[in-house]
Structures are given as C-alpha cells and as structure tokens.
Amino acid sequence: MKKVSLKDIATEAGVSTALVSYVLTNKDKKARIGEEMAKKIREIARKLNYQPNHIARSLKSGRSFTIGLIVADISNPFFANIARTIEDEAKKHNYNVIFGSSDENVDKSQDLINVLVNRQVDGLIITPTEGSEQQIRQLQEQKIPFVLIDRFFPEIAASYIAVNNRESAAGAVSHLIKAGRKRIGMVAYKTTLHHISERIGGYQDALQQHGIKATNSLLKKARYSHLKEDIRLAIDELLKGKHPADAIFFATNSLAIEGLKYINTLGIRIPDDLAVITFDEGEALDLFYAPVTFVRQPILEIGKAAVRVLLEQILDGTTTTTAICIDTTLVVRKSCGSR
Amino acid sequence: MKKVSLKDIATEAGVSTALVSYVLTNKDKKARIGEEMAKKIREIARKLNYQPNHIARSLKSGRSFTIGLIVADISNPFFANIARTIEDEAKKHNYNVIFGSSDENVDKSQDLINVLVNRQVDGLIITPTEGSEQQIRQLQEQKIPFVLIDRFFPEIAASYIAVNNRESAAGAVSHLIKAGRKRIGMVAYKTTLHHISERIGGYQDALQQHGIKATNSLLKKARYSHLKEDIRLAIDELLKGKHPADAIFFATNSLAIEGLKYINTLGIRIPDDLAVITFDEGEALDLFYAPVTFVRQPILEIGKAAVRVLLEQILDGTTTTTAICIDTTLVVRKSCGSR
DNA sequence: CTTGCAAACTTAAACGTTTAAGCATATTTT
DNA sequence: AAAATATGCTTAAACGTTTAAGTTTGCAAG
C-alpha cells in the first residue's frame, strides 16, 4: 500500500496536481478554485487518507519546520523537563524537535550540530558545553539561527536565555547566613562555563556582603567526568578538621544528589549537623528526609522563551540577538533548619 | 551565504552534478570515475564545505533515516533514559530520533503518530497508552514499521520489547514474604494496560504460592490523572485499621515516589513500620533514607533491542513480528529490612 | 461584435539529490 | 581490421510538493 500523493488525488479527480495542492493548502480562495471542485478534492483526499509528504514540502520551501535541541545531559531531570517544554512549545507552532545529549562533551556537541544542520533544522537551541565557542562562532558565520540556554559565552554576542545566576546564588547563600550558618562551603563543577563562575561569584558576593571572608578551602570543584570521586573528596575536605563546614551550597542538582548520597553514608544529619542548599529541583531532593531548599529555575519560562526567540529569528531572518535573563525563586524547605 | 549544493561543486569543477554525486557518495569505483577528477571534486567539496542536503536525499530515497519515538512520560527518568539509549543506539546506525511524550493520553498519542508519520519517519518506537489499540492496528494496516516497548497488547500480534512483568512482580513480593512480611499491599495504576495487569497478577501469584490469601482490600489502584490524591487515599486505606499493611509493593517508580512522599509526612518509618519495594529505579529512591529495593529493568538492553528489531523490520521490509521478553533483576537495599 | 476581464483550471519549473541509461573515445580481444 | 569491452563522463528523469505564469472559456462592457 503505497503512500497517497497529490498525483493520486489529481488522477482520481481528473485534474492537475496544482489544483489539488491549492485546495489542500487552503489557497483555493486566492487561486479562484471552483467551490464544488474544491469540495470534491477534499473529499477524495479524505477518502484516500492523504497525508502530505513533509519532506517534499521542506525541500520546496527550504524550511524543515524542525528545530534541533542539544542539551547537556538528558538524564538530568532539569534538562529532561526543558526538553519536554521545548517540545510542547515547538509543537504549538507546528515545529518538531530533534534532540541530542552532548553529555558535556565538546566533540559530541560538534557531532550533534553537524547531524542536525545536515538534517536541515531551521534553527538550534543549545546548552553549550565547555570549549564550544568555536562551534557557536561557526553557526554565526553560517547564519544558522540559534539560541543558547542555561549557559552562554559573555564574549560572544548571541541570543541566550539564562537566569541571573549570580544574584540567585548570592540569595541562596544569604539564606544560609541568615539561618545562622557560619562556615559555608560550596561544591561546584570544575569548569570555565560562565554560569558556574557566576554562581561561585554570587556565593563569594554574599559572604563578603555579610563580612565573612571567602576562603578557598571552602570552595570545592568536581570534574564532571569524575563526579563521584571528586565529590567524596570535596565533602571529606569540607567536613574534616576542627572547623568543619556547617553548610554546603551545591551549584547544581546533580552535584547535590551525588553529594547527599555520600553524606548519607557518613551518618551526618541534615540540617542539624549540616545545612544544604542547591540550585535546581529534582524529585530526589523532595523525597530526601529533609527536603532540600533550592533555587528554582523557571523551566517553563525558559523553554517558552527559547522557542519564541528562536522562531522570531527564523521567521524574521534577522541577525539581531536577544538576551533574556530570568529571575529565580528560592524554595525554602527543611534542609537549612527552620528559621 | 547560501548553502552549497552539488550544482555549485559541479560548476566549479566544470562537470555534471551526476559525476559529483557519484564521487561524494563513494560510488566512484562503481561508476568508473577518473581518479584525478574524483580527487579534484573531493577537494572542491571540502573547500566549499559542502554538506549534503538530507531532505533532498530523503525525498529521492523515500527514507528519512529518522525514527519516531513516543514515550509515555519524558519526565519520568525511566523513559528519559530509554529515550537516551534509543537515541544513542539509533545514531550508531546513522539514524536520528524525533521524540514526543504522550503523557499517557490517547489523543496526544494519536497526534504524535500523525505528526511523526507525516514527517516520514522510517519507523516508530512506541510505549502505547491505554486505549490506543486502534492506533496500533492502523499502523499495521499502513504497513509502517513499529516496535512497542514497555507495554503491548496481547491480542495484537506486533513486535514488542518487554520484561517478564509477572515473574518479576512475583519475585519482588516473594522477597517481601521471605523478609517476614505478612500483610503485603500493592499500589498500581488504574489501567487496563497489560504490563500493569501482569504485575498485579505476579503479586497475586506470589501470595498464593506462599499460602496467603490475596484480598482486594490490599490492592489499590490510582488514576494517572489524579495521582497525588489517589495515592494518598490508597495509602491511608492500606495503613488504617487494626491490621495495617506491613509492606507495600509499588507497580512503578512514579507511584513509589509519590507514595513515599506521602508516607514521609505520616511519620512512618521504613523499613521498621513498613517495608517498601517497587518496580523501576530512580535517583530519588537511591537518596531515600532507606534506599528502596527495586526491580531493575535493563534499560540499555530494552533500548538496544527496540532499535535493532525496528531496523530489521525497516531494512528487510518484512512483516514478521519479533517479541522479546527480558529478565529483570531485584536490587536489594534497605527498604525491606535486612535479612 | 470586439475587447476586457474574471473565473477555473493547467503547465512547467523548481527545490537538491540519485541513478539508470546513453554516448563518445580508447583499449583490448578475436 | 572488425568486434567487443572498458573508461570517463553526460543526460534526463524521478522523488512530492509549491507557485508563478499561462490557457481556455464565459460573460459583461464598450
């Protein structure tokens, strides 16, 4: 049973394919098609269960109505939910999403970009990995519309959607200070990515603002590639000595979850022995015996904004960049002690 | 900067596009192209940074090298990881994945199928929703290759990849019995989907096998659409009365997570007051103070098998169905008490 | 009864590939 | 030396759409 094409309908109706095309794309008014003929064609189309061939359409129009999405890690619920939001939002505009996960790997990122561009996506939404500046610049040269999310490169003028990481981090740390914590440690990723630097900056801002000296011994960085080991080490170091940390600020949910898994094994009680706060939500953090206070990034808003900005760029064909910075909210729960 | 096409290369080299096509698709041997000409063409292609237009290629070949994936809920880590595995596996075979989440909604499922089929996917991998039998039958009639995962309809002969739900569930429940639990409740979804029925069946099998009478008062079903409320109700009912349940078997991870969130608020201690066991993993279950014993479904294996079976069907053009049933493993942790 | 124009359709080219078939020219086989 | 085969390339059609431009017919206006 071959696919039904315009030609089949045309033959059945005894007319040209052009006529059928006009009718089925609702240009019958503009193209002055006779009413009864239009009706007849629509009927035959329904009878034969005609489904337009999207590929042929794309070839003709030069647009695929597909956007490519590259997330840093699809198994992270933050990105999974971003992906879902973007998919939903794109569908509202009759766009589809092809996605891939770069797993924070710059080569995989390049591969994905190549594949998606070959597939003629009309634009890209990307969480750029560390060291992918060149890839981004190349997209600009090729005039391929794209929007960065979650992270961006301050030295590259490109559209992006991000949250005010610095202020949000500072807010989280201030919360710890107000809850009476004195020795506040931070666990971040070892990366040059701007959003992480900003979160670290915010941590330091808050300490300074409250007259606490930020010492390097309380700032720990874990490699994405050696998460488990590095986190164990970091937490060991934070909690050892005469003056152990009495609070930890995790820069992302994956860090927090790994960290808490380890903390659990140490018999340390949250929030009595240690307060914990993190960026990003996650079911694991809800279910934790002391539900974890966290900085909520408005995923829905981010996803919607990303699609909106990208589609504007695609439709207008403009090169103007739009940078959007969204506020977060601090969701206070038990992990920092009651106030 | 327009995209570079075969024609551009052909013009630059002073030859026909056919020649260029032969060379760049490595059919130069077969098509008896001169060596130096082949070299020249390849050089020009590199110089102009030629990227083949996948859409044109698809139109010609009638194949899109894209598979459509419909999961039941992308925000569920089980499906997110399935999606990731399938994407990776597909990429190995030079296939891309377009995905969508049906959110267990039969209309959304139909929408997704339509969209994906219009996009000319070469085949589909689907977690069918309740009531989607007709959709599946229609795919069969249209001779569109597809593979069901996670669930299937016993009355429809179609390829599927699933786990031995009944035996796995029975194993889990046996584990509870061996751990000394007497009054074992189960929380499942209110659905006619076969995999859930099987898990319920396995629960009953195990009870019977150990000479315990399966009573309906210990079997609770929650609606997907009213998860929170129904789970609260279910758990209230299981734990009330003179003879409250001393163990609960959750049919999926989403049920377990919602259930445990509520159980947490009741001040009930796991495993002392109540043993808990569930299907599927999840970080939340790891981080729980009593890490939850669970039935592990081999996600990697499922994803790989799905892609393999689907590609076989696509390539061979056969209509033969392949049903694969995979074993699970019980991962024992603290939530059922130590043995 | 022309001319003008609107209505209802058709023609044909185009999008970027692939590939069977064709056509010279050169080389080998008989 | 004629016939067969090899070599290196071109032509042209095809995939399923879209759409500008063209054609035919009928009818009202001049």
Side-chain angles (χ1 to χ4, degrees), chain A residues 119-284:
Chain A
R119 298 258 156 175
Q120 316 298 124
V121 295
D122 293 340
L124 290 163
I125 297 178
I126 304 178
T127 50
T129 61
E130 187 174 19
S132 64
E133 289 90 336
Q134 219 29 63
Q135 299 169 17
I136 302 302
R137 289 223 172 80
Q138 204 179 333
L139 287 176
Q140 290 186 315
E141 276 171 31
Q142 297 177 256
K143 302 227 189 297
I144 296 173
F146 69 94
V147 174
L148 304 182
I149 53 173
D150 193 46
R151 312 111 182 240
F152 63 95
F153 300 109
E155 71 272 22
I156 300 183
S159 293
Y160 66 83
I161 319 290
V163 298
N164 54 351
N165 285 295
R166 194 168 192 122
E167 293 75 10
S168 303
V173 174
S174 290
H175 176 76
L176 288 171
I177 296 172
K178 284 181 203 144
R181 305 293 167 161
K182 305 287 183 200
R183 289 186 55 79
I184 301 173
M186 172 166 187
V187 178
Y189 277 117
K190 184 170 182 56
T191 174
T192 59
L193 281 170
H194 188 243
H195 70 306
I196 296 292
S197 310
E198 285 287 287
R199 291 177 194 180
I200 292 175
Y203 159 76
Q204 291 164 335
D205 288 352
L207 293 184
Q208 201 173 2
Q209 204 184 316
H210 289 85
I212 302 175
K213 190 153 170 286
T215 105
N216 268 338
S217 63
L218 285 173
L219 173 58
K220 301 295 176 190
K221 299 180 179 177
R223 289 166 296 175
Y224 182 82
S225 52
H226 295 72
L227 199 54
K228 274 197 170 107
E229 323 156 35
D230 286 6
I231 284 197
R232 278 162 190 259
L233 198 65
I235 288 177
D236 281 344
E237 288 179 6
L238 283 175
L239 300 183
K240 78 177 179 194
K242 309 196 247 264
H243 295 300
D246 59 4
I248 299 184
F249 169 39
F250 289 100
T252 74
N253 62 355
S254 43
L255 290 167
I257 290 170
E258 266 322 311
L260 288 172
K261 275 189 198 168
Y262 183 53
I263 287 171
N264 257 352
T265 68
L266 298 177
I268 290 169
R269 300 299 301 172
I270 313 287
D272 306 328
D273 305 338
L274 184 71
V276 164
I277 200 166
T278 181
F279 244 83
D280 306 333
E281 53 206 296
E283 270 186 323

Side-chain angles (χ1 to χ4, degrees), chain B residues 159-305:
Chain B
S159 292
Y160 67 83
I161 320 291
V163 299
N164 54 350
N165 284 293
R166 194 166 192 122
E167 293 76 10
S168 303
V173 174
S174 289
H175 176 75
L176 289 171
I177 296 171
K178 283 181 204 146
R181 305 292 166 162
K182 305 285 182 204
R183 288 185 56 77
I184 300 173
M186 173 166 187
V187 178
Y189 277 117
K190 183 168 182 57
T191 174
T192 59
L193 282 169
H194 189 243
H195 69 307
I196 296 292
S197 310
E198 285 289 285
R199 291 178 194 180
I200 293 174
Y203 159 76
Q204 292 164 335
D205 287 352
L207 293 183
Q208 200 171 3
Q209 203 183 318
H210 289 84
I212 303 176
K213 187 150 171 286
T215 105
N216 268 337
S217 64
L218 284 173
L219 173 59
K220 302 295 175 190
K221 297 181 179 177
R223 290 166 296 175
Y224 182 83
S225 52
H226 295 71
L227 199 54
K228 273 195 177 117
E229 323 155 34
D230 286 5
I231 284 199
R232 278 163 190 260
L233 198 66
I235 288 178
D236 281 343
E237 288 179 6
L238 284 175
L239 301 182
K240 78 177 177 195
K242 313 191 244 265
H243 295 301
D246 59 3
I248 299 184
F249 169 40
F250 289 100
T252 75
N253 61 356
S254 42
L255 290 167
I257 289 169
E258 266 322 311
L260 287 172
K261 276 190 197 168
Y262 182 55
I263 288 171
N264 258 351
T265 69
L266 298 178
I268 290 169
R269 301 297 301 172
I270 313 288
D272 306 327
D273 305 339
L274 184 72
V276 164
I277 200 165
T278 181
F279 243 84
D280 305 334
E281 54 206 295
E283 269 185 324
L285 304 175
D286 300 345
L287 195 50
F288 193 65
Y289 63 86
V292 179
T293 294
F294 67 97
V295 175
R296 168 177 286 150
Q297 301 196 53
I299 289 183
L300 202 73
E301 230 178 302
I302 295 174
K304 282 190 174 190

Side-chain angles (χ1 to χ4, degrees), chain A residues 1 3 49 51-56 58-59 64-66 73-75 80-81 83-84 87-88 91 94-101 103 108 112 115 117-120 138 141-142 257-258 260-261 264 283-289, chain B residues 1 3 49 51-56 58-59 64-66 73-75 80-81 83-84 87-88 91 94 96-101 103 108 112 114-115 117-120 138 141-142 257-258 260-261 264 283-289:
Chain A
M1 194 159 59
K3 283 271 175 65
N49 188 30
Q51 300 289 116
N53 182 326
H54 207 277
I55 288 185
S58 292
L59 181 58
S64 63
F65 289 92
T66 303
D73 178 7
I74 191 66
S75 69
N81 280 311
R84 187 232 273 269
E87 191 215 332
D88 285 351
K91 193 160 301 149
N94 281 315
Y95 267 75
N96 264 125
V97 176
I98 310 184
F99 83 104
S101 182
D103 300 342
K108 215 170 165 194
L112 281 169
V115 167
V117 169
N118 278 14
R119 298 258 156 175
Q120 316 298 124
Q138 204 179 333
E141 276 171 31
Q142 297 177 256
I257 290 170
E258 266 322 311
L260 288 172
K261 275 189 198 168
N264 257 352
E283 270 186 323
L285 304 175
D286 301 344
L287 196 50
F288 192 65
Y289 62 86
Chain B
M1 194 159 61
K3 284 269 175 65
N49 188 30
Q51 301 289 119
N53 183 324
H54 206 277
I55 289 185
S58 292
L59 180 58
S64 64
F65 289 94
T66 303
D73 178 8
I74 191 67
S75 68
N81 280 311
R84 190 231 272 269
E87 192 214 332
D88 285 350
K91 193 158 302 148
N94 281 316
N96 265 126
V97 175
I98 309 185
F99 83 103
S101 182
D103 300 340
K108 216 171 163 191
L112 281 169
N114 288 343
V115 167
V117 169
N118 278 13
R119 298 256 156 177
Q120 316 297 126
Q138 205 179 332
E141 275 171 32
Q142 297 178 256
I257 289 169
E258 266 322 311
L260 287 172
K261 276 190 197 168
N264 258 351
E283 269 185 324
L285 304 175
D286 300 345
L287 195 50
F288 193 65
Y289 63 86

